[in-house]
Amino acid sequence: MSERENSGHSGDSRPERSFLLSGRLDNTWCAELDSPKSRAIAHQALTVLEQWLRRRAAAAELAKGSRVQPDVKGECFEVEDGVYLEACLLLIKTLIFASRADEHIEQDELGPLCSVYQGLCAQFDAQGFIDKMMTCKVNPLDIAREVRFEEEALDIYLLSSMLLDGPHFLEHNYLEGLGAALHIPPSQQRELDKRARELLHAQSAGA
């Protein structure tokens, strides 16, 4: 991932920094996690983040008045600094809130969170944000307000369901509240829950 200066401006006279993301984001750190569940969640988090960045990068270019549809489908695509950080922080908030749903963060829930931060956000000073998310009230509406596209809502629910695959009633309550906040019908929630179990099983079988 290389950084370069963008010739565009965002309301002030300073050029916006941007990143040139080459193909899939580096996923080597996923394999370093101890449990199959942690690896499955981290890999899925990386997959959805790339999709979020492609959509948001295209939307940001169109918002500048570009008459040409931005090319974000190739191996390389450009993402502004702020767009990248915004998407990463939403991903981190998603993982933290789901991990805190039963008022106790398990090791296989903490692993993906730490890895996402170290693997994707280390160039930003996000520790203060993480500390705040660890202690603030867990409210799914706070996540829903930051969703830009319908696909992001589905991704967020799927990731949360992968984290909360246990029988604890607090976890189920959180998923129900998250689904309602994201306007996902119960039937679609059940489909995503099934998909989450399939992804976890596939990683365990290949471990």
Side-chain angles (χ1 to χ4, degrees):
M1 183 169 64
S2 61
E3 182 182 338
R4 66 182 184 179
E5 295 293 324
N6 191 331
S7 59
H9 290 65
S10 60
D12 60 21
S13 59
R14 292 174 301 176
E16 293 183 7
R17 296 190 336 181
S18 61
F19 292 97
L20 189 64
L21 298 184
S22 182
R24 282 188 171 274
L25 299 172
D26 179 32
N27 63 359
T28 53
W29 47 269
C30 295
E32 298 174 359
L33 293 167
D34 293 334
S35 74
K37 177 179 178 179
S38 294
R39 291 194 293 273
I41 294 169
H43 179 77
Q44 186 64 22
L46 187 64
T47 299
V48 302
L49 178 63
E50 181 176 348
Q51 295 168 354
W52 292 4
L53 290 174
R54 289 182 186 275
R55 291 191 199 98
R56 289 181 176 225
E61 286 301 309
L62 291 175
K64 294 177 182 178
S66 173
R67 297 182 180 180
V68 179
Q69 181 70 29
D71 180 14
V72 294
K73 296 182 179 180
E75 285 297 309
C76 296
F77 62 101
E78 189 172 344
V79 180
E80 289 180 1
D81 210 5
V83 173
Y84 181 86
L85 180 58
E86 186 180 69
C88 284
L89 293 185
L90 176 57
L91 182 62
I92 289 175
K93 179 184 285 190
T94 296
L95 295 174
I96 291 178
F97 276 19
S99 298
R100 293 180 56 204
D102 62 354
E103 302 178 354
H104 179 70
I105 300 181
E106 303 290 345
Q107 186 60 41
D108 57 4
E109 297 170 343
L110 186 61
L113 169 62
C114 294
S115 293
V116 165
Y117 172 66
Q118 294 169 1
L120 302 177
C121 307
Q123 69 267 42
F124 300 104
D125 184 13
Q127 189 59 52
F129 173 84
I130 292 176
D131 292 342
K132 181 179 179 180
M133 293 301 102
M134 285 290 193
T135 56
C136 70
K137 181 180 179 180
V138 174
N139 185 353
L141 288 173
D142 290 341
I143 291 177
R145 279 190 283 266
E146 298 181 29
V147 171
R148 296 277 306 278
F149 302 93
E150 180 182 354
E151 294 88 348
E152 291 180 359
L154 301 179
D155 292 335
I156 286 169
Y157 185 93
L158 178 62
L159 274 173
S160 300
S161 184
M162 291 177 70
L163 270 162
L164 304 178
D165 63 332
H168 203 294
F169 76 96
L170 289 177
E171 296 181 350
H172 293 169
N173 288 347
Y174 176 78
L175 283 176
E176 288 181 2
L178 181 64
L182 296 171
H183 303 292
I184 301 174
S187 60
Q188 196 168 18
Q189 291 178 37
R190 290 191 291 272
E191 292 176 3
L192 291 168
D193 290 335
K194 180 181 177 182
R195 176 59 177 158
R197 292 191 296 270
E198 291 172 348
L199 290 171
L200 292 172
H201 177 74
Q203 182 64 53
S204 297

